[in-house]
Amino acid sequence: DASVHLFVRVARLGTRFVLLVAEDRTESYRLDAVRRDFVANISHELKTPIGAVSLLAEALAAASDEPEQVKRFAKRLSKESERLARITREIIELSRLQAADALARPEIVDVDHVVASAIDQNRVIADKHGIRLASGGDAGTRAYGDEDLLIAAVQNLVSNAIQYSPDNSRIGVGVVSGDGVLEISVTDQGIGIEEQDLDRVFERFYRIDPARARNTGGTGLGLSIVKHVAQNHGGDVRVWSQPGKGSTFTIRIPELTDADARLADHDPAP
Ligand code: ADP
C-alpha cells in the first residue's frame, strides 16, 4: 500500500490568513492495519478449535451410554482443547514480544545452557522417531538477553526440525561465534522448503501445508515468535533450504565479549 495518510488541521488567523498543519500519520495507519489483520487472523484461528470443542461436548453428552464412543470423543476433546491452549499461549507470547521494543531485564546468558535445554525439551519426541539430536561448535559463548526467550526460540526451531524430518534422520544444533556475532543454527535432513515460501515462513499464521507435518497441530506462529525473539535481541533469523534435502535456520544475535560482560556485571541495564 503506497498511500500516504495526512492529518490536516486548519485554523483561521484573523480574516486574511489560514494556518494549515499537516501531520504524517502513515505509520500509525499501517500499524492499525497490521493490528486489525492480527485480530482477524486470531479470530479465524480460534474459531475452528472452539467450534470443535463445543460439537464434541454435545456428542459426548449424546453418547453417554456408549463407553467406547465416550472414550473416543473425550480423547478428541482433550486434543482440541490442548490445541486451543497452545494457540492462546503462542498468541499471548507473540503479542508480548511485538509490544516490546527491547528486553525488559537483559542478563548474561550461557549459550551452552540454551542449546542443551532446547535439545532436552525435544528429547522424548526425537527418540520416539529415532531422530538423533546432536550439538556442537563453539563452547562457552555468552549472549546478553533473556534466557527463557532464547531457549523458547531454539526449542521452536528444533521442534520444527523434528516435525519436518523423516524417522532415523539427524538434527544438528551448532554454535558459531566471532567478530561480535553469535550464530545458533539448527540443521535438519527433512523435507525442506520451496524457494517461494522461504520468505513467508516467518509471517504470522503462515503454514505451507499442514499435511506436510508429522503432527498437524501446528499454528504457524512458531517461526514468527523466533523472529521476534531474535529481533528483540538486536539480531535476526535466516533460513537456507533445499527441498528434499533439508533446512538450516540460523539465529544471529550480538555476542557478549569479556569486556561487555564486565560492564554488564557492574552496570545493570536501567
Ligand atoms: P507451524 O506451527 O506450522 O510449524 P511455524 O511458524 O513454526 O508454524 O512454521 C511455518 C511453516 O514453515 C510450517 O508450516 C512449515 O511448513 C515450514 N517449516 C518450518 N520449519 C521447517 C523445517 N525445519 N523444514 C521444513 N519446513 C519447515
Side-chain angles (χ1 to χ4, degrees):
D1 181 5
S3 57
V4 172
H5 294 270
L6 289 180
F7 180 73
V8 182
R9 259 179 298 219
V10 186
R12 254 183 183 298
L13 296 180
T15 48
R16 291 181 53 200
F17 296 102
V18 170
L19 180 68
L20 285 181
V21 179
E23 188 187 329
D24 181 357
R25 292 198 173 173
T26 312
E27 180 60 12
S28 100
Y29 266 77
R30 195 187 63 79
L31 289 178
D32 276 349
V34 168
R35 226 168 278 136
R36 272 197 306 272
D37 267 8
F38 190 33
V39 173
N41 276 332
I42 290 172
S43 339
H44 177 79
E45 293 293 322
L46 290 179
K47 242 182 223 158
T48 316
I50 288 175
V53 163
S54 65
L55 279 179
L56 283 164
E58 271 173 39
L60 201 57
S64 58
D65 42 356
E66 288 171 70
E68 274 315 304
Q69 273 203 335
V70 168
K71 234 194 217 157
R72 229 181 51 232
F73 288 142
K75 215 166 153 189
R76 281 177 52 196
L77 191 58
S78 118
K79 214 169 156 187
E80 287 297 336
S81 55
E82 259 169 41
R83 180 171 164 75
L84 205 49
R86 176 173 168 195
I87 296 178
T88 315
R89 204 172 50 237
E90 291 187 351
I91 287 170
I92 292 171
E93 171 126 33
L94 187 57
S95 320
R96 272 209 199 112
L97 286 168
Q98 284 176 331
D101 302 325
L103 298 163
R105 247 176 256 107
E107 288 172 337
I108 297 175
V109 177
D110 171 0
V111 176
D112 295 342
H113 173 68
V114 168
V115 171
S117 307
I119 288 182
D120 273 352
Q121 289 177 25
N122 285 285
R123 187 77 70 189
V124 174
I125 168 104
D127 282 351
K128 198 170 135 194
H129 297 286
I131 293 176
R132 257 189 321 135
L133 294 176
S135 63
D138 297 336
T141 55
R142 285 166 304 175
Y144 192 57
D146 185 314
E147 182 179 280
D148 291 339
L149 287 181
L150 287 174
I151 292 174
V154 179
Q155 194 284 120
N156 240 303
L157 294 181
V158 175
S159 152
N160 273 350
I162 295 172
Q163 285 293 321
Y164 302 100
S165 287
D167 284 3
N168 306 315
S169 58
R170 181 184 181 281
I171 291 167
V173 184
V175 176
V176 177
S177 72
D179 293 333
V181 179
L182 169 70
E183 297 190 347
I184 307 174
S185 296
V186 177
T187 300
D188 65 53
Q189 304 171 321
I191 57 176
I193 299 166
E194 299 283 344
E195 171 115 38
Q196 77 263 17
D197 291 314
L198 280 179
D199 285 338
R200 303 208 59 196
V201 292
F202 297 104
E203 289 173 20
R204 285 181 311 224
F205 296 112
Y206 188 76
R207 310 196 65 206
I208 298 173
D209 173 9
R212 306 188 329 147
R214 212 178 252 309
N215 166 352
T216 50
T219 58
L221 289 173
L223 287 178
S224 181
I225 290 174
V226 174
K227 183 178 85 177
H228 280 92
V229 170
Q231 286 177 350
N232 285 8
H233 280 80
D236 60 14
V237 55
R238 299 169 184 205
V239 55
W240 289 265
S241 188
Q242 256 188 304
K245 291 244 167 73
S247 313
T248 296
F249 285 83
T250 301
I251 296 175
R252 296 183 350 139
I253 56 175
E255 181 193 18
L256 191 77
T257 62
D258 287 341
D260 297 333
R262 277 193 297 275
L263 277 177
D265 264 346
H266 292 133
D267 183 21

